Amino acid sequence: MTQPMPSKTHSSKTMIRNALQELYFLSDAYVVGGAVRDSLIGRDSDDIDIATRDRPETVKAKAEFRGWNTVDTGIDHGTVTLLKGDSEYEVTTFRRDVSTDGRNATVEFAGSVEEDLKRRDFTINAMAAGLDSSGNEFMKDPFGGIEDLINGRIRAVGDPKTRFREDLLRIVRAFRFAARYGFEIGEPERSAIEELSSEVVGNVSPERITSEIEKAMKSPNPEEFIAKLVGSGILADYVQPLTGEIRNPERFVDIRDIERAEDRMAIFLWELKNASLVDWADLQERLRLPTDQIERARKIGQLLFLLEDPISETNRRKILAARRGLISDAQRIARQTGRVPPSRFEKPKEVPLEPVATGQDFLDAGFEEGPQIGDLIEKAHAIQLEEGITDVELLIKKAQ
């Protein structure tokens, strides 16, 4: 179905028109995917993906002739990145699926954008925007994506079960799109999800699941995504395969009050660790998370938990000092969730959280250089926090 491009004006639509005008030299060039979807509902889009009838070698030859730099981003799959000035576009030759196994797809080049759109996951992602010979924008919408955007519905392209089996990550993507846009998942799609959810863990790598979780943290309703991920059993399959249980999932609701995606992810991981009864090492391994992300979640979660109830000033100093690099982050989250009075994160005025006695102080006092200096600094720091002492000479004397 071809129709005029809706006239709503905003940055996504402007980006689409600019891209098509810049890449006029490509044969049957279209903007496809998320940028088209977002332009229709008035949202900004992060990037522009181009599909064309030209083969990769032709794309490169045409672009380089006109002064573009080219990068073989995924040339075996038909993708070339074009760069010139501030412009950067991923250009992919039209493709069709030859075979799929739930993890990977074997593809070959296709002759039309309709064939390319047919292989996409959901109707709202299976639309293309082009320019006609007069420079007028038009839409290709062969599967009713515009109608589904209007009706707020996530619907698969073709048979849902077939589409999900091609790549079982699409089940999780359905959850994410539903949460991001506040849409309902269609009844046939829900039935297919219920039947196939248990197969996700055996066919989709943890890294891909984690990537979807991180993307969902940028949506207005991340708790809805998490609720679907928990309710389907998929999250438990990855994190707690022994019991298959995620306890007290209502704890994840607080995430919606947190503004930054990285803060949401930290609290999600803290709550997930407690809800699944796994240790941090297991959680890191099962979701393939980097150590710094785990450490950030652990320390922020500890700050919020340990300061939730009133405690002595001495204990507060110790808690803050051990996690002093993340105090402002935890305080920001506390303000947004209301779970902990922000005043409990204020740094003590009389006793610094950083060690007062340094390695140089111990060397100047006559101690020999070596690994014992680190132990002495640590001991002096503990005394500083416990007893509220800030005199360097006294700390050195007590630490001996």
Side-chain angles (χ1 to χ4, degrees):
M1 179 179 179
T2 302
Q3 52 189 287
M5 187 81 172
S7 59
K8 198 169 188 178
T9 301
H10 47 78
S11 59
S12 292
K13 187 170 186 293
T14 301
M15 287 172 65
I16 288 173
R17 184 171 187 84
N18 290 344
L20 293 171
Q21 289 176 334
E22 283 194 279
L23 303 179
Y24 68 93
F25 51 85
L26 297 177
S27 304
D28 287 342
Y30 294 88
V31 174
V32 294
V36 180
R37 177 194 67 231
D38 290 341
S39 74
L40 293 172
I41 57 178
R43 295 200 181 199
D44 292 339
S45 190
D46 295 332
D47 50 30
I48 298 287
D49 293 325
I50 306 294
T52 176
R53 180 163 48 83
D54 290 334
R55 299 294 177 94
E57 60 274 13
T58 303
V59 171
K60 292 181 65 174
K62 286 183 173 181
E64 289 170 358
F65 179 75
R66 291 164 176 83
W68 290 77
N69 293 319
T70 65
V71 179
D72 294 349
T73 313
I75 197 164
D76 291 341
H77 303 287
T79 301
V80 176
T81 298
L82 307 186
L83 306 108
K84 181 195 280 189
D86 294 331
S87 298
E88 179 177 340
Y89 302 112
E90 275 199 359
V91 180
T92 303
T93 304
F94 298 149
R95 297 178 294 181
R96 68 167 69 90
D97 287 338
V98 176
S99 64
T100 59
D101 62 4
R103 297 186 185 187
N104 304 296
T106 301
V107 299
E108 63 182 14
F109 295 138
S112 70
V113 70
E114 287 83 2
E115 288 181 280
D116 189 85
L117 296 176
K118 187 177 180 181
R119 65 184 294 271
R120 296 177 183 267
D121 50 8
F122 306 113
T123 61
I124 61 171
N125 297 329
M127 298 177 286
L131 289 180
D132 64 21
S133 57
S134 300
N136 298 314
E137 299 170 51
F138 65 92
M139 288 281 298
K140 293 276 189 179
D141 180 23
F143 305 105
I146 292 176
E147 182 180 356
D148 287 331
L149 283 176
I150 293 169
N151 293 327
R153 181 174 56 200
I154 303 297
R155 188 167 59 86
V157 174
D159 175 62
K161 193 183 300 185
T162 301
R163 194 91 312 176
F164 289 141
R165 281 200 181 280
E166 290 170 349
D167 182 357
L168 287 160
L169 184 69
R170 287 171 172 169
I171 291 175
V172 182
R173 283 171 57 82
F175 297 161
R176 178 165 63 85
F177 285 123
R180 179 179 180 183
Y181 298 113
F183 287 5
E184 292 290 328
I185 298 176
E187 176 57 37
E189 286 71 21
R190 291 200 301 271
S191 297
I193 288 171
E194 185 175 350
E195 180 179 340
L196 299 174
S197 288
S198 63
E199 299 181 25
V200 174
V201 69
N203 291 280
V204 179
S205 70
E207 291 89 345
R208 297 181 76 200
I209 296 294
T210 298
S211 177
E212 288 298 313
I213 293 171
E214 290 177 330
K215 290 175 184 177
M217 293 300 157
K218 300 175 183 178
S219 75
N221 305 297
E223 76 285 355
E224 293 184 11
F225 167 83
I226 295 167
K228 289 180 170 62
L229 204 60
V230 172
S232 65
I234 292 173
L235 188 58
D237 286 343
Y238 281 89
V239 176
Q240 185 48 281
L242 294 179
T243 66
E245 182 183 10
I246 301 293
R247 304 183 311 155
N248 304 320
E250 65 276 3
R251 292 282 292 181
F252 296 119
V253 171
D254 278 354
I255 292 172
R256 68 185 172 199
D257 299 321
I258 300 171
E259 295 175 2
R260 299 188 184 185
E262 64 269 25
D263 292 346
R264 289 175 170 182
M265 190 68 180
I267 299 305
F268 166 73
L269 293 174
W270 171 261
E271 297 293 359
L272 179 60
K273 187 261 182 190
N274 295 323
S276 58
L277 299 178
V278 298
D279 60 30
W280 285 109
D282 284 340
L283 186 63
Q284 180 176 10
E285 172 63 24
R286 290 169 187 174
L287 290 181
R288 303 291 195 273
L289 296 163
T291 299
D292 59 348
Q293 189 174 36
I294 284 286
E295 281 300 294
R296 183 173 189 271
R298 183 177 66 83
K299 290 180 178 180
I300 287 177
Q302 288 173 341
L303 280 167
L304 293 168
F305 174 73
L306 294 172
L307 297 177
E308 194 165 4
D309 296 319
I311 56 174
S312 70
E313 182 61 15
T314 298
N315 285 336
R316 192 178 79 87
R317 280 199 302 263
K318 293 178 181 178
I319 291 167
L320 292 175
R323 305 156 185 88
R324 55 188 178 274
L326 291 165
I327 292 172
S328 60
D329 291 2
Q331 188 177 43
R332 178 177 62 245
I333 294 169
R335 286 196 187 98
Q336 292 165 5
T337 61
R339 285 169 57 175
V340 183
S343 61
R344 291 184 186 158
F345 298 92
E346 293 177 1
K347 294 183 178 181
K349 295 179 180 179
E350 303 298 328
V351 182
L353 297 178
E354 296 77 14
V356 172
T358 66
Q360 189 61 50
D361 291 326
F362 280 98
L363 293 175
D364 292 343
F367 290 86
E368 292 186 8
E369 188 170 358
Q372 72 274 9
I373 294 294
D375 295 335
L376 289 167
I377 294 171
E378 187 175 333
K379 187 175 180 181
H381 189 212
I383 295 168
Q384 168 190 327
L385 297 170
E386 178 68 35
E387 301 182 25
I389 297 173
T390 58
D391 182 270
V392 173
E393 289 186 9
L394 183 55
L395 285 171
I396 290 174
K397 182 178 180 181
K398 281 180 167 285
Q400 294 183 62

